[in-house]
Structure formats: C-alpha cells, structure tokens
Amino acid sequence: MRIPQPFTNLLPTLVLFPALATAIDIDCKQKIKVNDVLFNLLPLSGPHSVSWARPSPPSIQNTTYTIDICQRLVQDKNVPKADKCPNGTHVCGITEVINPGDNTSTIEEVIPIAGQYTFSGGNLDPHWTRLKTSSSHADSQSEGLRLELHGGRYGKRKQKAVIELVCLNNTEKELTTREAEDEEDSGDDETLGEVDDGAGGILHFISYGVSNDDEDVLRLTWNTPHACEDTKDEAGDGTKKGAHWGFFTWFIIV
C-alpha cells in the first residue's frame, strides 16, 4: 500500500515528537548517563521537603522547599489553589509566617522554582554536570552530579534550582550527622534545614537568593550513596539496567 505524499511528509515530525515529549521530564526509571558514567537515581524518586527558618519578631518565617527530581509534584486537592504551586512543578517553595504567641500561621509566598509549565511556557530544561569534570576546583574534588532545573517564575523574576548530589558513604554520613547536631547546639537564630531522604542520604538546604538582575536561585546539597560512581548494579547479573537498544537504533535497523 502506498502512503499518500502529504502523510509521508509528516513522518519525520511524528517520529521525533515522542522523543521531544519524553525529554521534558527526567526519567529515573532509566539510569542517568553523564560523561559515560551511569547513575541510578530511582531510589531518590518522590517528594522530599527541607525547611529554612529565620526569626522575624514577633513571628518566625519558615520556608519549606519540596522537590521531586524524577517526576512532577502531585497536587493536594485539599489545599486551596492559591496556597500551592501549579501543575507541572518539580521544585516548590512555600513561606509561612508563624506566630508563636497565638499558635497561628499564614502563607506569605508560594514560589514555583522549577517545572514544566504550559501556561507560562517555562521549561524544566534539566542540565546535568558530573562533578569530577566541573570547571570549579572545589567541585572537581567531589564525586557526584550537579542538576540544574529551570522553568519557574515569581513575579517578574526567573527561578532556578541547583541541586548537588554528592557521593556519601557510611562514614561520611556519620560525620555529616554529627556536624548537624553541633550546628543545632550552636544557638544560631537561623535554622538551615536538612532531612533524611529515607534512601540512605541527607538533603540539605544551602541558600536561596538573588543570582543576577532577573533570577533567583535555590541551592541544595543532597549527600547520597546513589551519587557514587562505583555503586554496584542492583540487577546482580552483570548487566546494566537501561543498557538496551533505544528507539532510534531500532528505527535505523528497520
């Protein structure tokens, strides 16, 4: 059967469109390949929240940053639309003003930091960097990945999240935990949050603020064994998950 000429002209578009669509989000079901090194980040999938609290007498400002690097955050239908980030968000910041005197709180800011947004045209545009190949001398001494996520906007200002996933072994985790306990005992008014990710690692808030004239940046550090380059393949059969022929390989063969 001969395919009509107008339809054959559309074939390249139809073939490429699925690839473009799937490139929008991060597929953690496949190992992430950076500089020919594979990383299994699937155990980090799901929402993770870390907070940053600072005094604002007579109240306290507390910002909770929730991220999911593998998929879009699930909307809570019980929360008013104005009090949550829009659909498509991967990284969301919500600031509450807490009044200890009467034990009340109000939401002051809702900041969609990174995501894929159809309403504004913002693109997640994930960008991976292997730390060992970083131009920064300090980063090049570390093992792991840097992930940059985009797409958010707060008012007229662009937003970006920079997440450094740093290799963590058991000894380093013990030292990191002790350092955090020492910081809690230091008596500082400002509290930089951290949370156990439930997958053998710790997520840390580093900073949020102005990067340049029109952009704000959230910086997080994620100490995790899943950012180690020598992590053994969980399949246990000597094969690598995700090491299969892709769509374009089959397309060329056909």
Side-chain angles (χ1 to χ4, degrees), residues 177-208:
T177 303
R178 289 173 192 160
E179 290 172 358
E181 291 173 350
D182 291 341
E183 288 180 3
E184 289 179 1
D185 295 337
S186 66
D188 292 341
D189 292 333
E190 186 174 340
T191 303
L192 304 180
E194 65 175 41
V195 64
D196 190 308
D197 65 5
I202 303 173
L203 177 64
H204 303 264
F205 167 81
I206 302 300
S207 66
Y208 173 77

Side-chain angles (χ1 to χ4, degrees), residues 34-50:
V34 185
N35 296 134
D36 293 325
V37 179
L38 294 173
F39 297 86
N40 178 19
L41 302 183
L42 185 59
L44 305 183
S45 179
H48 299 274
S49 296
V50 62

Side-chain angles (χ1 to χ4, degrees), residues 9 20 73 149 179 192 215 229 233 254:
N9 292 337
L20 292 174
L73 295 171
L149 299 175
E179 290 172 358
L192 304 180
E215 185 179 63
E229 296 186 4
D233 183 18
V254 173

Side-chain angles (χ1 to χ4, degrees), residues 3-210:
I3 301 176
Q5 187 64 30
F7 184 79
T8 58
N9 292 337
L10 290 175
L11 280 177
T13 304
L14 293 174
V15 169
L16 291 174
F17 182 77
L20 292 174
T22 56
I24 290 174
D25 288 321
I26 300 170
D27 183 10
C28 290
K29 293 179 181 178
Q30 302 293 330
K31 288 189 176 182
I32 305 298
K33 187 176 183 179
V34 185
N35 296 134
D36 293 325
V37 179
L38 294 173
F39 297 86
N40 178 19
L41 302 183
L42 185 59
L44 305 183
S45 179
H48 299 274
S49 296
V50 62
S51 296
W52 170 35
R54 58 270 188 208
S56 180
S59 61
I60 298 171
Q61 282 190 321
N62 183 77
T63 303
T64 299
Y65 298 100
T66 302
I67 74 168
D68 191 334
I69 63 173
C70 296
Q71 57 195 0
R72 304 174 187 194
L73 295 171
V74 177
Q75 294 271 316
D76 187 341
K77 296 180 180 179
N78 296 320
V79 176
K81 185 177 181 179
D83 293 345
K84 59 186 177 183
C85 285
N87 283 319
T89 299
H90 279 254
V91 185
C92 178
I94 297 180
T95 299
E96 289 183 285
V97 177
I98 302 170
N99 295 294
D102 56 8
N103 198 29
T104 60
S105 65
T106 57
I107 292 180
E108 184 178 66
E109 294 178 325
V110 177
I111 307 175
I113 295 172
Q116 189 68 32
Y117 303 109
T118 55
F119 68 91
S120 66
N123 295 315
L124 185 66
D125 190 22
H127 179 72
W128 297 94
T129 302
R130 183 177 168 222
L131 293 182
K132 285 186 176 181
T133 63
S134 173
S135 58
S136 167
H137 176 72
D139 287 342
S140 65
Q141 304 303 306
S142 301
E143 182 176 332
L145 294 168
R146 180 190 301 111
L147 172 61
E148 294 183 12
L149 299 175
H150 309 81
R153 185 174 288 272
Y154 185 61
K156 295 183 178 181
R157 298 187 61 80
K158 297 177 183 178
Q159 303 292 307
K160 181 171 74 174
V162 178
I163 306 156
E164 291 210 350
L165 298 104
V166 182
C167 175
L168 175 69
N169 57 42
N170 290 333
T171 302
E172 290 170 334
K173 184 174 182 181
E174 291 176 3
L175 292 174
T176 302
T177 303
R178 289 173 192 160
E179 290 172 358
E181 291 173 350
D182 291 341
E183 288 180 3
E184 289 179 1
D185 295 337
S186 66
D188 292 341
D189 292 333
E190 186 174 340
T191 303
L192 304 180
E194 65 175 41
V195 64
D196 190 308
D197 65 5
I202 303 173
L203 177 64
H204 303 264
F205 167 81
I206 302 300
S207 66
Y208 173 77
V210 176

